[in-house]
PDB file of all heavy atoms in Angstrom:
ATOM      1  N   GLY A   1     -25.372  30.600 -45.859  1.00 94.00           N
ATOM      2  CA  GLY A   1     -25.870  31.938 -46.151  1.00 94.00           C
ATOM      3  C   GLY A   1     -27.381  32.010 -46.198  1.00 94.00           C
ATOM      4  O   GLY A   1     -28.067  31.002 -46.367  1.00 94.00           O
ATOM      5  N   LEU A   2     -27.871  33.230 -46.015  1.00 95.00           N
ATOM      6  CA  LEU A   2     -29.305  33.523 -46.074  1.00 95.00           C
ATOM      7  C   LEU A   2     -29.519  34.739 -46.953  1.00 95.00           C
ATOM      8  O   LEU A   2     -28.742  35.693 -46.894  1.00 95.00           O
ATOM      9  CB  LEU A   2     -29.863  33.847 -44.687  1.00 95.00           C
ATOM     10  CG  LEU A   2     -29.812  32.792 -43.612  1.00 95.00           C
ATOM     11  CD1 LEU A   2     -30.122  33.409 -42.258  1.00 95.00           C
ATOM     12  CD2 LEU A   2     -30.806  31.701 -43.908  1.00 95.00           C
ATOM     13  N   GLN A   3     -30.579  34.688 -47.743  1.00 97.00           N
ATOM     14  CA  GLN A   3     -30.992  35.858 -48.505  1.00 97.00           C
ATOM     15  C   GLN A   3     -32.490  36.036 -48.288  1.00 97.00           C
ATOM     16  O   GLN A   3     -33.266  35.111 -48.549  1.00 97.00           O
ATOM     17  CB  GLN A   3     -30.695  35.698 -49.986  1.00 97.00           C
ATOM     18  CG  GLN A   3     -31.121  36.906 -50.789  1.00 97.00           C
ATOM     19  CD  GLN A   3     -30.872  36.742 -52.277  1.00 97.00           C
ATOM     20  OE1 GLN A   3     -30.768  35.629 -52.779  1.00 97.00           O
ATOM     21  NE2 GLN A   3     -30.780  37.853 -52.977  1.00 97.00           N
ATOM     22  N   LEU A   4     -32.880  37.185 -47.779  1.00 96.00           N
ATOM     23  CA  LEU A   4     -34.277  37.470 -47.490  1.00 96.00           C
ATOM     24  C   LEU A   4     -34.701  38.696 -48.287  1.00 96.00           C
ATOM     25  O   LEU A   4     -34.022  39.734 -48.242  1.00 96.00           O
ATOM     26  CB  LEU A   4     -34.487  37.764 -46.006  1.00 96.00           C
ATOM     27  CG  LEU A   4     -34.321  36.612 -45.024  1.00 96.00           C
ATOM     28  CD1 LEU A   4     -32.870  36.247 -44.823  1.00 96.00           C
ATOM     29  CD2 LEU A   4     -34.924  36.987 -43.684  1.00 96.00           C
ATOM     30  N   ILE A   5     -35.807  38.571 -49.004  1.00 97.00           N
ATOM     31  CA  ILE A   5     -36.366  39.690 -49.761  1.00 97.00           C
ATOM     32  C   ILE A   5     -37.812  39.878 -49.315  1.00 97.00           C
ATOM     33  O   ILE A   5     -38.611  38.928 -49.392  1.00 97.00           O
ATOM     34  CB  ILE A   5     -36.298  39.435 -51.289  1.00 97.00           C
ATOM     35  CG1 ILE A   5     -34.854  39.242 -51.729  1.00 97.00           C
ATOM     36  CG2 ILE A   5     -36.960  40.578 -52.053  1.00 97.00           C
ATOM     37  CD1 ILE A   5     -34.693  38.779 -53.167  1.00 97.00           C
ATOM     38  N   ASN A   6     -38.130  41.069 -48.817  1.00 96.00           N
ATOM     39  CA  ASN A   6     -39.491  41.403 -48.379  1.00 96.00           C
ATOM     40  C   ASN A   6     -40.041  40.404 -47.369  1.00 96.00           C
ATOM     41  O   ASN A   6     -41.228  40.097 -47.380  1.00 96.00           O
ATOM     42  CB  ASN A   6     -40.446  41.518 -49.570  1.00 96.00           C
ATOM     43  CG  ASN A   6     -40.042  42.598 -50.537  1.00 96.00           C
ATOM     44  OD1 ASN A   6     -39.454  43.602 -50.145  1.00 96.00           O
ATOM     45  ND2 ASN A   6     -40.338  42.392 -51.805  1.00 96.00           N
ATOM     46  N   PHE A   7     -39.187  39.905 -46.508  1.00 94.00           N
ATOM     47  CA  PHE A   7     -39.578  38.916 -45.510  1.00 94.00           C
ATOM     48  C   PHE A   7     -39.626  39.609 -44.154  1.00 94.00           C
ATOM     49  O   PHE A   7     -38.591  39.996 -43.612  1.00 94.00           O
ATOM     50  CB  PHE A   7     -38.576  37.761 -45.497  1.00 94.00           C
ATOM     51  CG  PHE A   7     -39.006  36.591 -44.659  1.00 94.00           C
ATOM     52  CD1 PHE A   7     -39.914  35.669 -45.150  1.00 94.00           C
ATOM     53  CD2 PHE A   7     -38.510  36.427 -43.384  1.00 94.00           C
ATOM     54  CE1 PHE A   7     -40.313  34.592 -44.371  1.00 94.00           C
ATOM     55  CE2 PHE A   7     -38.893  35.347 -42.601  1.00 94.00           C
ATOM     56  CZ  PHE A   7     -39.800  34.425 -43.103  1.00 94.00           C
ATOM     57  N   PHE A   8     -40.832  39.778 -43.606  1.00 91.00           N
ATOM     58  CA  PHE A   8     -41.039  40.562 -42.388  1.00 91.00           C
ATOM     59  C   PHE A   8     -40.337  41.911 -42.521  1.00 91.00           C
ATOM     60  O   PHE A   8     -40.575  42.625 -43.480  1.00 91.00           O
ATOM     61  CB  PHE A   8     -40.585  39.799 -41.141  1.00 91.00           C
ATOM     62  CG  PHE A   8     -41.500  38.663 -40.755  1.00 91.00           C
ATOM     63  CD1 PHE A   8     -41.014  37.374 -40.669  1.00 91.00           C
ATOM     64  CD2 PHE A   8     -42.835  38.874 -40.477  1.00 91.00           C
ATOM     65  CE1 PHE A   8     -41.851  36.319 -40.315  1.00 91.00           C
ATOM     66  CE2 PHE A   8     -43.677  37.831 -40.119  1.00 91.00           C
ATOM     67  CZ  PHE A   8     -43.184  36.553 -40.042  1.00 91.00           C
ATOM     68  N   SER A   9     -39.435  42.245 -41.591  1.00 88.00           N
ATOM     69  CA  SER A   9     -38.772  43.551 -41.639  1.00 88.00           C
ATOM     70  C   SER A   9     -37.559  43.565 -42.567  1.00 88.00           C
ATOM     71  O   SER A   9     -36.937  44.607 -42.754  1.00 88.00           O
ATOM     72  CB  SER A   9     -38.341  43.962 -40.226  1.00 88.00           C
ATOM     73  OG  SER A   9     -37.389  43.037 -39.720  1.00 88.00           O
ATOM     74  N   HIS A  10     -37.233  42.447 -43.158  1.00 91.00           N
ATOM     75  CA  HIS A  10     -36.044  42.353 -44.026  1.00 91.00           C
ATOM     76  C   HIS A  10     -36.438  42.615 -45.479  1.00 91.00           C
ATOM     77  O   HIS A  10     -37.000  41.752 -46.141  1.00 91.00           O
ATOM     78  CB  HIS A  10     -35.405  40.967 -43.906  1.00 91.00           C
ATOM     79  CG  HIS A  10     -34.924  40.657 -42.531  1.00 91.00           C
ATOM     80  ND1 HIS A  10     -33.690  41.051 -42.081  1.00 91.00           N
ATOM     81  CD2 HIS A  10     -35.520  40.023 -41.491  1.00 91.00           C
ATOM     82  CE1 HIS A  10     -33.534  40.662 -40.829  1.00 91.00           C
ATOM     83  NE2 HIS A  10     -34.640  40.038 -40.447  1.00 91.00           N
ATOM     84  N   ARG A  11     -36.113  43.808 -45.970  1.00 93.00           N
ATOM     85  CA  ARG A  11     -36.435  44.150 -47.365  1.00 93.00           C
ATOM     86  C   ARG A  11     -35.459  43.497 -48.330  1.00 93.00           C
ATOM     87  O   ARG A  11     -35.844  42.996 -49.364  1.00 93.00           O
ATOM     88  CB  ARG A  11     -36.433  45.670 -47.568  1.00 93.00           C
ATOM     89  CG  ARG A  11     -37.487  46.402 -46.809  1.00 93.00           C
ATOM     90  CD  ARG A  11     -38.884  45.960 -47.249  1.00 93.00           C
ATOM     91  NE  ARG A  11     -39.883  46.546 -46.400  1.00 93.00           N
ATOM     92  CZ  ARG A  11     -40.880  47.269 -46.828  1.00 93.00           C
ATOM     93  NH1 ARG A  11     -41.029  47.469 -48.109  1.00 93.00           N
ATOM     94  NH2 ARG A  11     -41.740  47.765 -45.970  1.00 93.00           N
ATOM     95  N   ASN A  12     -34.171  43.544 -47.978  1.00 95.00           N
ATOM     96  CA  ASN A  12     -33.139  42.917 -48.808  1.00 95.00           C
ATOM     97  C   ASN A  12     -31.951  42.628 -47.901  1.00 95.00           C
ATOM     98  O   ASN A  12     -31.052  43.442 -47.767  1.00 95.00           O
ATOM     99  CB  ASN A  12     -32.749  43.820 -49.979  1.00 95.00           C
ATOM    100  CG  ASN A  12     -31.842  43.086 -50.958  1.00 95.00           C
ATOM    101  OD1 ASN A  12     -31.575  41.899 -50.822  1.00 95.00           O
ATOM    102  ND2 ASN A  12     -31.356  43.813 -51.956  1.00 95.00           N
ATOM    103  N   THR A  13     -31.941  41.466 -47.283  1.00 93.00           N
ATOM    104  CA  THR A  13     -30.911  41.095 -46.323  1.00 93.00           C
ATOM    105  C   THR A  13     -30.129  39.904 -46.851  1.00 93.00           C
ATOM    106  O   THR A  13     -30.720  38.889 -47.222  1.00 93.00           O
ATOM    107  CB  THR A  13     -31.540  40.730 -44.958  1.00 93.00           C
ATOM    108  OG1 THR A  13     -32.275  41.855 -44.472  1.00 93.00           O
ATOM    109  CG2 THR A  13     -30.483  40.333 -43.954  1.00 93.00           C
ATOM    110  N   ASN A  14     -28.821  40.038 -46.902  1.00 94.00           N
ATOM    111  CA  ASN A  14     -27.935  38.947 -47.312  1.00 94.00           C
ATOM    112  C   ASN A  14     -26.943  38.702 -46.192  1.00 94.00           C
ATOM    113  O   ASN A  14     -26.274  39.629 -45.737  1.00 94.00           O
ATOM    114  CB  ASN A  14     -27.168  39.310 -48.589  1.00 94.00           C
ATOM    115  CG  ASN A  14     -28.066  39.349 -49.794  1.00 94.00           C
ATOM    116  OD1 ASN A  14     -28.598  38.329 -50.191  1.00 94.00           O
ATOM    117  ND2 ASN A  14     -28.252  40.532 -50.355  1.00 94.00           N
ATOM    118  N   ILE A  15     -26.844  37.444 -45.770  1.00 92.00           N
ATOM    119  CA  ILE A  15     -25.930  37.079 -44.693  1.00 92.00           C
ATOM    120  C   ILE A  15     -25.095  35.911 -45.162  1.00 92.00           C
ATOM    121  O   ILE A  15     -25.619  34.890 -45.622  1.00 92.00           O
ATOM    122  CB  ILE A  15     -26.699  36.700 -43.413  1.00 92.00           C
ATOM    123  CG1 ILE A  15     -27.509  37.897 -42.914  1.00 92.00           C
ATOM    124  CG2 ILE A  15     -25.747  36.192 -42.344  1.00 92.00           C
ATOM    125  CD1 ILE A  15     -28.428  37.581 -41.770  1.00 92.00           C
ATOM    126  N   SER A  16     -23.785  36.056 -45.042  1.00 92.00           N
ATOM    127  CA  SER A  16     -22.856  34.976 -45.365  1.00 92.00           C
ATOM    128  C   SER A  16     -22.244  34.471 -44.070  1.00 92.00           C
ATOM    129  O   SER A  16     -21.762  35.264 -43.264  1.00 92.00           O
ATOM    130  CB  SER A  16     -21.768  35.494 -46.307  1.00 92.00           C
ATOM    131  OG  SER A  16     -20.874  34.466 -46.633  1.00 92.00           O
ATOM    132  N   LEU A  17     -22.289  33.163 -43.871  1.00 88.00           N
ATOM    133  CA  LEU A  17     -21.759  32.556 -42.656  1.00 88.00           C
ATOM    134  C   LEU A  17     -20.565  31.678 -43.005  1.00 88.00           C
ATOM    135  O   LEU A  17     -20.587  30.963 -43.994  1.00 88.00           O
ATOM    136  CB  LEU A  17     -22.838  31.723 -41.961  1.00 88.00           C
ATOM    137  CG  LEU A  17     -24.111  32.480 -41.600  1.00 88.00           C
ATOM    138  CD1 LEU A  17     -25.195  31.516 -41.166  1.00 88.00           C
ATOM    139  CD2 LEU A  17     -23.821  33.481 -40.500  1.00 88.00           C
ATOM    140  N   SER A  18     -19.552  31.714 -42.152  1.00 79.00           N
ATOM    141  CA  SER A  18     -18.344  30.939 -42.432  1.00 79.00           C
ATOM    142  C   SER A  18     -18.268  29.649 -41.621  1.00 79.00           C
ATOM    143  O   SER A  18     -17.290  28.945 -41.678  1.00 79.00           O
ATOM    144  CB  SER A  18     -17.107  31.807 -42.162  1.00 79.00           C
ATOM    145  OG  SER A  18     -17.096  32.226 -40.817  1.00 79.00           O
ATOM    146  N   GLY A  19     -19.299  29.350 -40.866  1.00 69.00           N
ATOM    147  CA  GLY A  19     -19.296  28.123 -40.064  1.00 69.00           C
ATOM    148  C   GLY A  19     -18.963  28.438 -38.617  1.00 69.00           C
ATOM    149  O   GLY A  19     -18.552  29.536 -38.268  1.00 69.00           O
ATOM    150  N   GLY A  20     -19.166  27.459 -37.771  1.00 71.00           N
ATOM    151  CA  GLY A  20     -18.909  27.645 -36.358  1.00 71.00           C
ATOM    152  C   GLY A  20     -20.111  28.231 -35.654  1.00 71.00           C
ATOM    153  O   GLY A  20     -21.197  28.347 -36.199  1.00 71.00           O
ATOM    154  N   LEU A  21     -19.905  28.639 -34.438  1.00 74.00           N
ATOM    155  CA  LEU A  21     -20.955  29.199 -33.609  1.00 74.00           C
ATOM    156  C   LEU A  21     -21.284  30.611 -34.071  1.00 74.00           C
ATOM    157  O   LEU A  21     -20.386  31.408 -34.346  1.00 74.00           O
ATOM    158  CB  LEU A  21     -20.495  29.217 -32.146  1.00 74.00           C
ATOM    159  CG  LEU A  21     -21.500  29.631 -31.104  1.00 74.00           C
ATOM    160  CD1 LEU A  21     -22.697  28.676 -31.101  1.00 74.00           C
ATOM    161  CD2 LEU A  21     -20.847  29.637 -29.738  1.00 74.00           C
ATOM    162  N   VAL A  22     -22.574  30.913 -34.162  1.00 76.00           N
ATOM    163  CA  VAL A  22     -23.014  32.220 -34.632  1.00 76.00           C
ATOM    164  C   VAL A  22     -23.888  32.865 -33.572  1.00 76.00           C
ATOM    165  O   VAL A  22     -24.780  32.212 -33.012  1.00 76.00           O
ATOM    166  CB  VAL A  22     -23.822  32.087 -35.946  1.00 76.00           C
ATOM    167  CG1 VAL A  22     -24.398  33.424 -36.362  1.00 76.00           C
ATOM    168  CG2 VAL A  22     -22.960  31.504 -37.048  1.00 76.00           C
ATOM    169  N   GLY A  23     -23.647  34.111 -33.290  1.00 76.00           N
ATOM    170  CA  GLY A  23     -24.485  34.889 -32.387  1.00 76.00           C
ATOM    171  C   GLY A  23     -25.092  36.046 -33.154  1.00 76.00           C
ATOM    172  O   GLY A  23     -24.430  36.675 -33.969  1.00 76.00           O
ATOM    173  N   VAL A  24     -26.368  36.310 -32.914  1.00 79.00           N
ATOM    174  CA  VAL A  24     -27.056  37.417 -33.571  1.00 79.00           C
ATOM    175  C   VAL A  24     -27.500  38.378 -32.475  1.00 79.00           C
ATOM    176  O   VAL A  24     -28.236  37.989 -31.573  1.00 79.00           O
ATOM    177  CB  VAL A  24     -28.270  36.911 -34.387  1.00 79.00           C
ATOM    178  CG1 VAL A  24     -28.980  38.071 -35.064  1.00 79.00           C
ATOM    179  CG2 VAL A  24     -27.834  35.873 -35.410  1.00 79.00           C
ATOM    180  N   PHE A  25     -27.036  39.621 -32.561  1.00 81.00           N
ATOM    181  CA  PHE A  25     -27.312  40.615 -31.532  1.00 81.00           C
ATOM    182  C   PHE A  25     -27.983  41.830 -32.145  1.00 81.00           C
ATOM    183  O   PHE A  25     -27.703  42.183 -33.284  1.00 81.00           O
ATOM    184  CB  PHE A  25     -26.003  41.062 -30.854  1.00 81.00           C
ATOM    185  CG  PHE A  25     -25.235  39.935 -30.247  1.00 81.00           C
ATOM    186  CD1 PHE A  25     -24.236  39.288 -30.960  1.00 81.00           C
ATOM    187  CD2 PHE A  25     -25.524  39.511 -28.960  1.00 81.00           C
ATOM    188  CE1 PHE A  25     -23.526  38.236 -30.406  1.00 81.00           C
ATOM    189  CE2 PHE A  25     -24.817  38.459 -28.395  1.00 81.00           C
ATOM    190  CZ  PHE A  25     -23.823  37.826 -29.115  1.00 81.00           C
ATOM    191  N   GLY A  26     -28.842  42.465 -31.379  1.00 82.00           N
ATOM    192  CA  GLY A  26     -29.495  43.690 -31.834  1.00 82.00           C
ATOM    193  C   GLY A  26     -30.637  44.043 -30.917  1.00 82.00           C
ATOM    194  O   GLY A  26     -31.032  43.256 -30.057  1.00 82.00           O
ATOM    195  N   PRO A  27     -31.198  45.229 -31.107  1.00 86.00           N
ATOM    196  CA  PRO A  27     -32.304  45.659 -30.243  1.00 86.00           C
ATOM    197  C   PRO A  27     -33.572  44.852 -30.512  1.00 86.00           C
ATOM    198  O   PRO A  27     -33.718  44.234 -31.575  1.00 86.00           O
ATOM    199  CB  PRO A  27     -32.492  47.133 -30.617  1.00 86.00           C
ATOM    200  CG  PRO A  27     -31.906  47.273 -31.976  1.00 86.00           C
ATOM    201  CD  PRO A  27     -30.820  46.254 -32.088  1.00 86.00           C
ATOM    202  N   ASN A  28     -34.487  44.877 -29.540  1.00 82.00           N
ATOM    203  CA  ASN A  28     -35.777  44.201 -29.708  1.00 82.00           C
ATOM    204  C   ASN A  28     -36.484  44.741 -30.946  1.00 82.00           C
ATOM    205  O   ASN A  28     -36.468  45.944 -31.214  1.00 82.00           O
ATOM    206  CB  ASN A  28     -36.666  44.421 -28.477  1.00 82.00           C
ATOM    207  CG  ASN A  28     -36.180  43.614 -27.295  1.00 82.00           C
ATOM    208  OD1 ASN A  28     -35.423  42.664 -27.430  1.00 82.00           O
ATOM    209  ND2 ASN A  28     -36.627  44.015 -26.111  1.00 82.00           N
ATOM    210  N   GLY A  29     -37.076  43.837 -31.711  1.00 79.00           N
ATOM    211  CA  GLY A  29     -37.828  44.226 -32.892  1.00 79.00           C
ATOM    212  C   GLY A  29     -36.990  44.457 -34.130  1.00 79.00           C
ATOM    213  O   GLY A  29     -37.510  44.875 -35.170  1.00 79.00           O
ATOM    214  N   ALA A  30     -35.683  44.190 -34.060  1.00 80.00           N
ATOM    215  CA  ALA A  30     -34.806  44.431 -35.204  1.00 80.00           C
ATOM    216  C   ALA A  30     -34.897  43.333 -36.261  1.00 80.00           C
ATOM    217  O   ALA A  30     -34.422  43.519 -37.376  1.00 80.00           O
ATOM    218  CB  ALA A  30     -33.359  44.575 -34.734  1.00 80.00           C
ATOM    219  N   GLY A  31     -35.492  42.182 -35.923  1.00 81.00           N
ATOM    220  CA  GLY A  31     -35.631  41.104 -36.903  1.00 81.00           C
ATOM    221  C   GLY A  31     -34.683  39.946 -36.680  1.00 81.00           C
ATOM    222  O   GLY A  31     -34.482  39.131 -37.574  1.00 81.00           O
ATOM    223  N   LYS A  32     -34.104  39.846 -35.495  1.00 81.00           N
ATOM    224  CA  LYS A  32     -33.161  38.752 -35.204  1.00 81.00           C
ATOM    225  C   LYS A  32     -33.854  37.391 -35.281  1.00 81.00           C
ATOM    226  O   LYS A  32     -33.382  36.480 -35.937  1.00 81.00           O
ATOM    227  CB  LYS A  32     -32.526  38.937 -33.821  1.00 81.00           C
ATOM    228  CG  LYS A  32     -31.759  40.215 -33.626  1.00 81.00           C
ATOM    229  CD  LYS A  32     -31.227  40.360 -32.215  1.00 81.00           C
ATOM    230  CE  LYS A  32     -32.261  40.300 -31.135  1.00 81.00           C
ATOM    231  NZ  LYS A  32     -33.210  41.400 -31.052  1.00 81.00           N
ATOM    232  N   SER A  33     -34.970  37.270 -34.593  1.00 79.00           N
ATOM    233  CA  SER A  33     -35.681  35.985 -34.555  1.00 79.00           C
ATOM    234  C   SER A  33     -36.207  35.589 -35.926  1.00 79.00           C
ATOM    235  O   SER A  33     -36.266  34.406 -36.252  1.00 79.00           O
ATOM    236  CB  SER A  33     -36.833  36.035 -33.560  1.00 79.00           C
ATOM    237  OG  SER A  33     -36.343  36.194 -32.260  1.00 79.00           O
ATOM    238  N   SER A  34     -36.575  36.572 -36.728  1.00 83.00           N
ATOM    239  CA  SER A  34     -37.101  36.230 -38.047  1.00 83.00           C
ATOM    240  C   SER A  34     -36.032  35.622 -38.952  1.00 83.00           C
ATOM    241  O   SER A  34     -36.356  34.967 -39.939  1.00 83.00           O
ATOM    242  CB  SER A  34     -37.756  37.443 -38.707  1.00 83.00           C
ATOM    243  OG  SER A  34     -36.838  38.473 -38.940  1.00 83.00           O
ATOM    244  N   LEU A  35     -34.759  35.784 -38.606  1.00 82.00           N
ATOM    245  CA  LEU A  35     -33.697  35.160 -39.405  1.00 82.00           C
ATOM    246  C   LEU A  35     -33.713  33.638 -39.273  1.00 82.00           C
ATOM    247  O   LEU A  35     -33.612  32.926 -40.267  1.00 82.00           O
ATOM    248  CB  LEU A  35     -32.319  35.674 -38.981  1.00 82.00           C
ATOM    249  CG  LEU A  35     -31.987  37.101 -39.349  1.00 82.00           C
ATOM    250  CD1 LEU A  35     -30.655  37.506 -38.732  1.00 82.00           C
ATOM    251  CD2 LEU A  35     -31.965  37.269 -40.845  1.00 82.00           C
ATOM    252  N   ILE A  36     -33.812  33.125 -38.060  1.00 74.00           N
ATOM    253  CA  ILE A  36     -33.761  31.679 -37.839  1.00 74.00           C
ATOM    254  C   ILE A  36     -35.149  31.113 -37.586  1.00 74.00           C
ATOM    255  O   ILE A  36     -35.599  30.200 -38.272  1.00 74.00           O
ATOM    256  CB  ILE A  36     -32.839  31.329 -36.653  1.00 74.00           C
ATOM    257  CG1 ILE A  36     -31.423  31.840 -36.902  1.00 74.00           C
ATOM    258  CG2 ILE A  36     -32.837  29.828 -36.399  1.00 74.00           C
ATOM    259  CD1 ILE A  36     -30.706  31.234 -38.070  1.00 74.00           C
ATOM    260  N   ALA A  37     -35.832  31.680 -36.597  1.00 76.00           N
ATOM    261  CA  ALA A  37     -37.120  31.120 -36.187  1.00 76.00           C
ATOM    262  C   ALA A  37     -38.134  31.154 -37.319  1.00 76.00           C
ATOM    263  O   ALA A  37     -39.060  30.366 -37.328  1.00 76.00           O
ATOM    264  CB  ALA A  37     -37.661  31.880 -34.983  1.00 76.00           C
ATOM    265  N   ASP A  38     -37.974  32.051 -38.261  1.00 89.00           N
ATOM    266  CA  ASP A  38     -38.934  32.135 -39.356  1.00 89.00           C
ATOM    267  C   ASP A  38     -38.295  31.876 -40.718  1.00 89.00           C
ATOM    268  O   ASP A  38     -38.751  31.006 -41.452  1.00 89.00           O
ATOM    269  CB  ASP A  38     -39.620  33.500 -39.347  1.00 89.00           C
ATOM    270  CG  ASP A  38     -40.467  33.710 -38.105  1.00 89.00           C
ATOM    271  OD1 ASP A  38     -41.242  32.803 -37.769  1.00 89.00           O
ATOM    272  OD2 ASP A  38     -40.338  34.759 -37.472  1.00 89.00           O
ATOM    273  N   ALA A  39     -37.240  32.608 -41.065  1.00 93.00           N
ATOM    274  CA  ALA A  39     -36.684  32.498 -42.417  1.00 93.00           C
ATOM    275  C   ALA A  39     -36.156  31.096 -42.718  1.00 93.00           C
ATOM    276  O   ALA A  39     -36.519  30.493 -43.725  1.00 93.00           O
ATOM    277  CB  ALA A  39     -35.577  33.533 -42.627  1.00 93.00           C
TER     278      ALA A  39
END
């Protein structure tokens, strides 16, 4: 899991992962890269 508070565009983001392969999809600038590449 990930919890981001005031991190780039993520004001309060909580993500729970159950394992296995994960794909993150969304429009450009939505904060996808900031989840892994930064957070």
Side-chain angles (χ1 to χ4, degrees):
L2 298 167
Q3 180 182 22
L4 291 74
I5 300 171
N6 299 329
F7 189 80
F8 287 122
S9 63
H10 298 275
R11 295 298 173 124
N12 189 5
T13 301
N14 290 295
I15 298 173
S16 180
L17 303 169
S18 60
L21 186 61
V22 174
V24 180
F25 303 93
N28 287 342
K32 301 177 303 292
S33 295
S34 63
L35 289 174
I36 301 296
D38 295 312

